[in-house]
Amino acid sequence: MRHISKAITAAFCVSTVLAAPSSPAAAQQAATVLGVTPDEKTVADAYIYLLGRVLVNRQEHIDRKGEGFAYNKIKYNPLGSADFVNPNFDVAYLEAWFAVDDKTPVILEVPEIKGRYYTAQILDEWGEVIANINERIFPTKPYGKFALVKPGSTAKIPADAGRIELHSSKAKMLGRVELKGDPDGAVKLQRAFTVTALGKPAIAPPPAIPMFSNVDLIGVEIFDDVDAKLGSALDVSPNAAEMQQKVRAVAAYVASGKEARASIDAQLKKVSTQFREDALTKTAPYVNHWLCASSGGNYGAGYRLRSSANYAGIWANNPAEVVYFPATRDANEQPLNGSNSYVMHFPANGLPQSVVDAYWSVILVGVPDYRVVQNPLKRYNFNNHSPLVKEADGSLKIGIGAKPVAGVPEANWLPAADGKPFSLTFRTYVPKEPARTCEWTPPALTKVN
């Protein structure tokens, strides 16, 4: 911590003084006396770090409003339906929020699945992957009963259940079962997942936040009641203590008076705009006009990547399962827009199926909401099971635009909204080394009109 700035060190003192101010005036006076003003970098770091938690917090609020929602109850999503950003329509999804306490574990039962990709991904409230239950990650127990428990819990669990310690008292599950040309079979397997709480756990509501959109990100309100936000879920990041001190320092300054609050809010307009611009171009290796998100799911000290993943593709998995390649720019580094037509041309010796052991897919979503773009064909994505037409030389062209693209078979056309910006996300499931190391990327999108 010897590199910590004097401003942050002083802010630590202020946060201690202001932990329980007798009045807003007293808080303002304390900050004024010590002359503490966090610098722009501290404000930006604190905001982007805390945004990662608040985005998951927002999703929990959204999920709780869903019809029939309850903790420890599975939501079996209809095919082609997912109420979160940048979904994957190549699988049958199932979702659940787990809630446990010291005395109450939850039992998850995973069916035996053969011959198609599946995983039961369990994540914490910062978007960090706790576990993936499948035959690759859990070869000694790829299915059956699993007991999800609070850290340190001594609650009795069934003898035939595999123990999985969560990071706190809540976790999110996102299960995926590959359709693989057999949607009925996938749905049958989806419905075979079950969850049972062994009792009635005490469940705290998520911290209150003002709801916000990806277009208008949360502002200075993010620094209100930070103890509730930070205390609601353990962050396993190795730099959590450092970053949370920055958060509390900025929060103390925000609480010191109206002028301080207005000043930080003004700064955050610039910070949030820059964050949106950088999210899919500067938070991971940027290769051939694609972001190679080869370190998602478990982020270490990379809080910027974690916040970007939660912003543009919440519930990102780790690279053993999938490497994501998002793109918002074409081969000339111009923003992708539905007023143009583009071609992605895979050479015969670089087809996407060659770099995966499971499957690949590409989906088009709007920017900045990162939701699917509606179109008359109801065609939102392609994958290795799509009836795509190859060229005579074995290569593959995919056309993207508001209308069919000249020189590309119409079966290979992925519709965009005319005049609207968009993003592509190319997924490589169970990727081989060239995809994991970013040696392979999808081809850049070439503008053809």
Side-chain angles (χ1 to χ4, degrees):
M1 296 296 288
R2 58 184 176 182
H3 299 295
I4 192 167
S5 70
K6 292 181 180 179
I8 298 171
T9 304
F12 173 78
C13 299
V14 172
S15 65
T16 303
V17 171
L18 299 181
S22 56
S23 68
Q28 182 174 5
Q29 182 180 12
T32 303
V33 169
L34 292 176
V36 175
T37 303
D39 60 33
E40 290 183 1
K41 184 178 186 305
T42 299
V43 172
D45 289 350
Y47 176 82
I48 294 171
Y49 169 80
L50 187 56
L51 184 62
R53 171 71 187 102
V54 171
L55 286 164
V56 177
N57 191 183
R58 178 184 70 171
Q59 188 63 49
E60 185 178 0
H61 281 288
I62 292 171
D63 290 350
R64 281 163 52 100
K65 292 179 181 178
E67 183 179 354
F69 173 84
Y71 290 97
N72 302 322
K73 177 183 177 182
I74 292 179
K75 175 187 177 185
Y76 303 100
N77 290 351
L79 297 185
S81 170
D83 190 17
F84 50 85
V85 294
N86 218 340
N88 177 359
F89 284 169
D90 315 293
V91 296
Y93 272 123
L94 55 145
E95 302 180 57
W97 276 95
F98 300 131
V100 299
D101 62 22
D102 291 328
K103 299 179 180 179
T104 313
V106 166
I107 303 300
L108 168 66
E109 291 199 47
V110 177
E112 183 177 11
I113 300 176
K114 294 182 177 180
R116 70 174 82 208
Y117 175 85
Y118 77 96
T119 193
Q121 178 194 12
I122 302 171
L123 307 100
D124 72 14
E125 294 171 273
W126 288 83
E128 298 273 353
V129 174
I130 299 170
N132 275 284
I133 301 172
N134 56 50
E135 75 279 5
R136 296 172 305 284
I137 308 302
F138 278 26
T140 59
K141 189 175 174 60
Y143 61 92
K145 292 181 181 178
F146 297 87
L148 311 176
V149 301
K150 188 176 178 180
S153 170
T154 57
K156 186 176 181 180
I157 63 174
D160 59 345
R163 181 186 176 98
I164 297 177
E165 288 206 2
L166 306 180
H167 293 166
S168 53
S169 59
K170 288 182 184 176
K172 173 77 174 188
M173 180 185 72
L174 195 62
R176 303 171 178 87
V177 180
E178 183 186 3
L179 300 184
K180 204 173 184 179
D182 175 25
D184 291 342
V187 169
K188 184 177 180 181
L189 290 167
Q190 173 204 47
R191 295 276 174 166
F193 286 77
T194 64
V195 171
T196 307
L198 300 185
K200 294 184 178 181
I203 304 174
I209 57 169
M211 293 304 285
F212 59 92
S213 70
N214 276 19
V215 178
D216 296 305
L217 286 173
I218 191 170
V220 71
E221 299 84 5
I222 197 172
F223 291 110
D224 294 337
D225 202 11
V226 294
D227 285 338
K229 293 181 177 74
L230 297 175
S232 61
L234 173 69
D235 182 10
V236 298
S237 171
N239 59 349
E242 173 189 351
M243 299 310 302
Q244 291 182 13
Q245 182 49 48
K246 290 188 179 187
V247 168
R248 289 191 167 94
V250 177
Y253 182 70
V254 167
S256 70
K258 292 182 179 179
E259 290 186 6
R261 185 179 182 88
S263 172
I264 296 298
D265 199 32
Q267 289 183 56
L268 293 181
K269 288 178 172 59
K270 180 180 178 181
V271 171
S272 62
T273 297
Q274 192 65 52
F275 169 79
R276 287 195 299 266
E277 292 177 359
D278 293 348
L280 294 183
T281 57
K282 295 183 179 179
T283 52
Y286 192 61
V287 183
N288 197 27
H289 309 282
W290 295 82
L291 194 75
C292 180
S294 57
S295 56
N298 297 110
Y299 302 91
Y303 67 90
R304 289 178 180 271
L305 177 58
R306 181 171 68 183
S307 293
S308 296
N310 291 350
Y311 165 73
I314 199 167
W315 313 136
N317 217 328
N318 54 36
E321 290 300 305
V322 57
V323 171
Y324 304 90
F325 294 91
T328 56
R329 309 269 176 165
D330 66 15
N332 294 318
E333 200 55 20
Q334 296 301 304
L336 299 176
N337 193 288
S339 60
N340 304 317
S341 293
Y342 305 91
V343 172
M344 241 193 317
H345 191 182
F346 296 88
N349 63 353
L351 297 175
Q353 190 60 35
S354 68
V355 295
V356 296
D357 283 328
Y359 72 97
W360 63 268
S361 73
V362 60
I363 190 169
L364 187 150
V365 294
V367 171
D369 63 347
Y370 295 95
R371 301 279 178 155
V372 295
V373 174
Q374 299 300 322
N375 62 81
L377 296 179
K378 296 185 178 180
R379 183 184 292 171
Y380 310 119
N381 68 316
F382 288 134
N383 57 41
N384 51 296
H385 300 297
S386 300
L388 299 172
V389 179
K390 291 182 181 177
E391 301 295 299
D393 62 358
S395 64
L396 175 66
K397 289 181 179 179
I398 293 177
I400 301 103
K403 57 185 178 182
V405 179
V408 177
E410 191 164 339
N412 298 14
W413 168 45
L414 194 56
D418 192 14
K420 300 291 183 66
F422 67 88
S423 167
L424 295 179
T425 297
F426 204 102
R427 292 172 165 93
T428 54
Y429 273 87
V430 193
K432 296 180 181 178
E433 185 175 358
R436 292 197 308 269
T437 59
C438 309
E439 176 186 343
W440 179 93
T441 71
L445 276 73
T446 302
K447 182 181 172 184
V448 294
N449 70 338

